[in-house]
Amino acid sequence: MSTWHEQVAISGSVALPPDPRAMEGLGRNHSLETALADLIDNSIDAQASEVLIRFVRRAGRLRALYVVDNGHGMGRNEIDMAMTVGSRRVYGHADLGRFGLGLKAASFSQARAVTVISKTAGTPPVGRRWVLDDTRENFLCDIVSEEFCFDEFDREWGIADGNSGTVVRWDAVNGFPTTDDALRVEKFLTQTVAAIRRHLGLVLHRVLEDGRVAIMIDVEDVGSAYPGPRVPVSAVNPFGYLKSGRPGYPKDLVTTSGDHKIEFRCHIWPGRSRTEEFRVRDAPVNHQGIYFYRNDRLLQAGGEWAGLHTIDPALQLARIAVDIDDDILGLFRMNPEKSRVLIGPDFTALAENARAEDGSDIATYLADAEETYRRSRKRNRTRKAMIPPGKGFAPQLRSVIEDEIPALPRLEGISIKWRRFDNDLFFDVDRTNSTLWLNQAYRPGPAGQRHTVNDVPLLKALLYLLVEDVFEGDYLGAKDKDNIDLWQEILTAAAKSEGAA
Ligand SMILES: Nc1ncnc2c1ncn2[C@@H]1O[C@H](COP(=O)(O)OP(=O)(O)O)[C@@H](O)[C@H]1O
Ligand SMILES: [Mg+2]
């Protein structure tokens, strides 16, 4: 046997840049929504106050997807860094970036080509492009012509004008329908925009709520004189219940690890709910668990208890918010897609040590949440069932009514609608059509203006609670008739005096 050498002997070196196809493997766990979230993290890190997500359609077919921001932008050197896989800059403590991968991984998980055009204040824009199926060797990145950079940067993006910002453009997006069939494209857009709004609204809810950034989505039809309607992304706060499910909550439990403090903000929802804020995941049982935030960005929305407990139907109302700042990041790892937090073994023990000011711990909290859940079930069972709302109710109003009031098994709900009357009465109970008609003459709002069917939610909520009873049963009793006359008298007088005021 020959002797073992401590040192490996070398005789030279050969350059072996990675095969360009290596880039295709990046970001495998991304969906369109999580990929977009990663681009927007960069916009937020660049201090953007506005971000636009734009789908571009030409001749009926979706061609490109843009994320445009008015942040501080990048110069020549920075843009080269930005396009480099795995190049890390020096991060500030509040930055969302971390791995130097986000932009590339997000883009290549969704598109065959990514172009970045960026401008800092006082310098002309610069641009770079990566194309995946490029057969060129050596990771050569395209330099976008200056003229094109100007054109692209100065397009009508409709976001607050700055003299700096960044345009990220994806071409050949994998998920786009390969058709110009108007119906299919519309359907795709409707579903996709809804999914993007939900996801971004959720993961960025804190940033959206405190107004640090506004995010809009629109669709541009090339050649059309008008930009399409834009929809804002609004915050979806997973702790956005109206009233806590239990006095004393939310409750902060605190523990320390070395010099660092970890806070568990323990919440109990008042009951199951149909609101977006409650239904953050696919199955109701998965909404519970720990919600991890890093720099106010939601990384993981529940779905597990990090070793503290198993997922349990009785814990449906329990959610804990935990902020993991970089000083305690050692206890965790996040996946590069920033959609999951992997918990180290020390975390569970630390969490078990966490105490509130009143001395209670996580076990107490979980028991409280369980008891609240049982009570909410019971309360809903003992409440008198009512005919559910039909048409004319604003979505939030409908969800709250559906959450709070058990529904009578009926084919049709009670609709509340406006129509022209040939008298001056305020309402008409139409039991055959399960509709409460309101006299158009009293409809609030400036004359001639278009109304939405779901208008005046406060008035409709009151009317629903008042008249629901008279829609029940096979015939109108004497008591019902007398009540209707009474309400008619008073409400008509009230409506008239509102008009006169
Ligand atoms: N929209 C943007 N505005 C300004 N700079 C950006 C933008 N997007 C990316 N960058 C720059 O590119 C770098 C690389 O981005 P990325 O690949 O997402 O990795 P990370 O965010 O982890 O650093 C960022 O650190 C930032 O300097
Ligand atoms: Mg990033």
Side-chain angles (χ1 to χ4, degrees):
M1 221 197 278
S2 63
T3 46
W4 180 75
H5 298 284
E6 181 82 32
Q7 299 294 332
V8 175
I10 58 168
S11 64
S13 54
V14 49
L16 293 174
D19 187 291
R21 274 170 306 186
M23 295 215 273
E24 293 187 37
L26 294 172
R28 277 282 156 81
N29 294 321
H30 268 307
S31 62
L32 180 62
E33 304 90 82
T34 62
L36 286 171
D38 222 324
L39 295 191
I40 293 173
D41 284 351
N42 289 341
S43 302
I44 294 172
D45 279 351
Q47 254 79 62
S49 63
E50 289 187 36
V51 179
L52 172 73
I53 298 172
R54 172 171 292 175
F55 292 82
V56 175
R57 177 167 48 192
R58 196 177 67 194
R61 196 157 165 167
L62 291 174
R63 311 304 290 254
L65 183 54
Y66 284 84
V67 174
V68 184
D69 70 52
N70 63 353
H72 57 53
M74 291 172 270
R76 214 170 287 279
N77 295 334
E78 290 161 291
I79 202 172
D80 283 339
M81 284 270 287
M83 294 304 266
T84 307
V85 176
S87 87
R88 300 184 182 193
R89 63 185 160 88
V90 178
Y91 297 102
H93 74 277
D95 280 344
L96 298 167
R98 181 161 186 87
F99 299 111
L101 284 176
L103 170 68
K104 286 71 68 176
S107 302
F108 293 135
S109 73
Q110 303 302 314
R112 303 298 295 175
V114 54
T115 305
V116 178
I117 291 161
S118 196
K119 183 181 175 320
T120 61
T123 61
V126 287
R128 300 286 183 269
R129 182 182 69 169
W130 276 125
V131 181
L132 265 192
D133 20 30
D134 222 336
T135 46
R136 234 173 335 185
E137 288 168 16
N138 287 341
F139 268 82
L140 289 176
C141 185
D142 294 321
I143 297 171
V144 182
S145 85
E146 185 167 295
E147 199 191 338
F148 188 87
C149 287
F150 269 111
D151 276 359
E152 199 82 336
F153 194 82
D154 291 338
R155 300 197 71 219
E156 292 270 330
W157 300 113
I159 61 177
D161 228 2
N163 40 21
S164 67
T166 301
V167 174
V168 178
R169 166 177 170 164
W170 291 346
D171 288 279
V173 178
N174 309 329
F176 281 178
T178 52
T179 171
D180 56 7
D181 181 85
L183 228 76
R184 280 180 55 197
V185 172
E186 260 328 302
K187 192 170 165 211
F188 169 85
L189 280 172
T190 310
Q191 284 173 354
T192 307
V193 169
I196 294 171
R197 292 183 73 203
R198 264 187 75 75
H199 182 76
L200 295 179
L202 181 65
V203 298
L204 293 171
H205 78 91
R206 287 186 179 175
V207 190
L208 290 164
E209 274 158 9
D210 65 19
R212 259 181 283 171
V213 72
I215 305 171
M216 309 293 288
I217 308 176
D218 73 7
V219 180
E220 175 186 334
D221 279 296
V222 177
S224 153
Y226 304 101
R230 14 182 72 194
V231 286
V233 172
S234 22
V236 178
N237 177 0
F239 303 94
Y241 42 76
L242 289 176
K243 183 168 175 288
S244 172
R246 206 178 174 92
Y249 286 93
K251 193 183 274 185
D252 288 336
L253 274 56
V254 181
T255 184
T256 50
S257 153
D259 297 339
H260 307 301
K261 204 166 93 175
I262 310 180
E263 270 186 20
F264 297 81
R265 174 149 270 224
C266 304
H267 293 258
I268 303 178
W269 271 74
R272 276 163 61 158
S273 166
R274 283 175 182 77
T275 57
E276 280 202 298
E277 281 80 4
F278 186 77
R279 299 164 60 149
V280 295
R281 283 175 164 260
D282 41 4
V285 77
N286 286 330
H287 306 324
Q288 63 186 280
I290 305 192
Y291 286 61
F292 289 101
Y293 291 83
R294 173 170 172 261
N295 294 336
D296 288 337
R297 194 298 203 179
L298 181 62
L299 293 178
Q300 181 173 334
E304 63 166 309
W305 285 106
L308 292 168
H309 205 285
T310 50
I311 290 294
D312 181 342
L315 291 178
Q316 293 194 37
L317 307 181
R319 298 177 184 188
I320 304 184
V322 176
D323 282 276
I324 40 182
D325 296 324
D326 282 355
D327 48 2
I328 59 160
L329 201 59
L331 294 168
F332 310 90
R333 278 175 46 213
M334 58 178 178
N335 65 348
E337 287 85 7
K338 292 191 254 180
S339 54
R340 258 198 74 125
V341 172
L342 313 165
I343 289 105
D346 299 338
F347 177 78
T348 315
L350 272 170
E352 278 165 350
N353 286 333
R355 292 288 178 279
E357 266 175 8
D358 61 12
S360 63
D361 60 6
I362 295 219
T364 323
Y365 158 67
L366 293 176
D368 283 352
E370 184 169 339
E371 209 240 349
T372 310
Y373 174 67
R374 296 199 193 291
R375 224 192 289 168
S376 83
R377 301 290 289 171
K378 198 162 148 217
R379 181 190 68 209
N380 277 21
R381 274 197 303 270
T382 52
R383 263 189 196 157
K384 180 181 163 296
M386 289 167 64
I387 306 170
K391 297 209 172 69
F393 293 80
Q396 293 99 316
L397 172 59
R398 177 193 305 280
S399 333
V400 175
I401 294 176
E402 287 171 353
D403 288 344
E404 295 299 325
I405 305 172
L408 282 174
R410 275 274 207 130
L411 284 181
E412 247 186 319
I414 299 174
S415 299
I416 304 187
K417 300 185 197 164
W418 299 92
R419 70 166 165 75
R420 222 178 282 283
F421 282 29
D422 49 18
N423 55 43
D424 63 357
L425 297 179
F426 181 65
F427 68 86
D428 177 32
V429 173
D430 176 358
R431 287 170 37 105
T432 327
N433 295 306
S434 192
T435 299
L436 178 72
W437 295 104
L438 305 180
N439 189 339
Q440 180 91 47
Y442 301 115
R443 194 165 191 175
Q449 190 181 299
R450 271 190 63 192
H451 295 281
T452 70
V453 280
N454 298 337
D455 64 351
V456 290
L458 181 60
L459 176 65
K460 285 178 180 168
L462 290 168
L463 289 171
Y464 170 77
L465 294 173
L466 187 68
V467 307
E468 183 275 338
D469 208 38
V470 304
F471 285 88
E472 287 183 33
D474 294 335
Y475 61 96
L476 270 183
K479 181 79 189 145
D480 287 334
K481 283 184 189 146
D482 184 48
N483 272 337
I484 290 176
D485 289 346
L486 173 68
W487 301 330
Q488 189 69 272
E489 195 85 26
I490 294 175
L491 293 175
T492 304
K496 280 182 178 166
S497 61
E498 265 204 21

